[in-house]
Amino acid sequence: MNCLYCGVDLPENNKKEHIIHNALGGLLECSSICCEKCNNILSQQDNNFANNFSPFVPMIDNYQQTRKSSFKP
């Protein structure tokens, strides 16, 4: 498996990444999306991304998170 963004080979013990953002209630995770470096770069924009969708979060049935997030809908 390769990182979706930079193409580097992913290690077998690669960290899981949310398929749908955790702050938006995404529970599905996958370890074959991106490398740790790209994940760290993308995570710098997490709050900006989640804030754009914050008006819609209360409409999500059974809203849950897999881990704590600094984002509060």
Side-chain angles (χ1 to χ4, degrees):
M1 295 283 169
N2 294 22
C3 174
L4 179 67
Y5 303 104
C6 71
V8 70
D9 286 334
L10 298 174
E12 281 190 37
N13 62 344
N14 194 43
K15 291 184 177 180
K16 290 183 177 181
E17 175 66 22
H18 284 89
I19 294 171
I20 296 174
H21 202 286
N22 184 49
L24 301 178
L27 301 178
L28 295 176
E29 298 175 311
C30 181
S31 60
S32 60
I33 295 177
C34 62
C35 67
E36 187 173 356
K37 180 180 176 183
C38 288
N39 189 26
N40 288 338
I41 292 169
L42 293 169
S43 70
Q44 294 173 7
Q45 298 298 318
D46 279 354
N47 281 339
N48 290 336
F49 176 83
N51 284 334
N52 287 330
F53 291 93
S54 63
F56 304 103
V57 172
M59 296 177 206
I60 299 172
D61 290 335
N62 301 316
Y63 173 78
Q64 297 177 19
Q65 294 179 324
T66 57
R67 58 182 178 253
K68 298 247 184 216
S69 172
S70 60
F71 175 76
K72 303 290 184 225

